[in-house]
Amino acid sequence: MRASTHDLGFRERSRRLRTWGVVLLSAAGALWLWLAVLLFTSYSIEGYQRQTDCSAPFDRHRVVYDGLCATGERDWPVAVTLLAASLPFALAGTALVTAGVVSVRMSEHGIELERLREQDRTA
């Protein structure tokens, strides 16, 4: 009876780990989505007495309207910071999801082995 209670608690903790991993992976995904918006959408630059529309940094049919777009590219430190900030979330999330899933599977495997041993003893 105690082993069953302990196993249920173990599975619950493992599922909680997996849930936290999914939350962290979702946060990393949100940062990647923000990065994609920065890299694949057009933008405008406020210049001297006028506003210049520029195409996205990763546009296949990129058009540079004047030198202002070429020199005033999107703020690359922001894009690199987003990518760098997403890495810890992605790594921790992956580790937590993996640990949670493997723990539940190992628990189920252990219970199945115990059940088979009981069958062998009674047979």
Side-chain angles (χ1 to χ4, degrees):
M1 187 67 158
R2 282 185 174 174
S4 175
T5 305
H6 174 72
D7 189 61
L8 289 175
F10 178 76
R11 284 188 193 188
E12 181 59 36
R13 286 188 304 274
S14 298
R15 287 187 181 99
R16 211 172 307 132
L17 274 179
R18 185 181 61 200
T19 301
W20 274 107
V22 169
V23 167
L24 289 176
L25 284 173
S26 297
L31 290 173
W32 292 333
L33 186 63
W34 187 6
L35 177 65
V37 167
L38 287 178
L39 296 179
F40 293 105
T41 58
S42 58
Y43 61 102
S44 60
I45 296 175
E46 296 288 333
Y48 179 72
Q49 294 182 346
R50 67 187 175 107
Q51 182 175 354
T52 304
D53 293 326
C54 301
S55 60
F58 285 108
D59 189 3
R60 277 184 43 191
H61 308 291
R62 187 170 190 178
V63 177
V64 177
Y65 299 102
D66 62 11
L68 187 60
C69 285
T71 59
E73 289 287 346
R74 277 251 160 113
D75 197 12
W76 284 105
V78 172
V80 172
T81 302
L82 284 173
L83 184 62
S86 72
L87 290 177
F89 288 107
L91 292 174
T94 301
L96 289 175
V97 166
T98 302
V101 169
V102 168
S103 297
V104 169
R105 293 292 306 246
M106 290 302 294
S107 174
E108 290 170 352
H109 178 70
I111 287 175
E112 184 64 21
L113 285 177
E114 187 61 35
R115 187 185 65 77
L116 290 173
R117 285 188 191 122
E118 283 295 321
Q119 267 185 346
D120 286 346
R121 278 187 236 154
T122 59

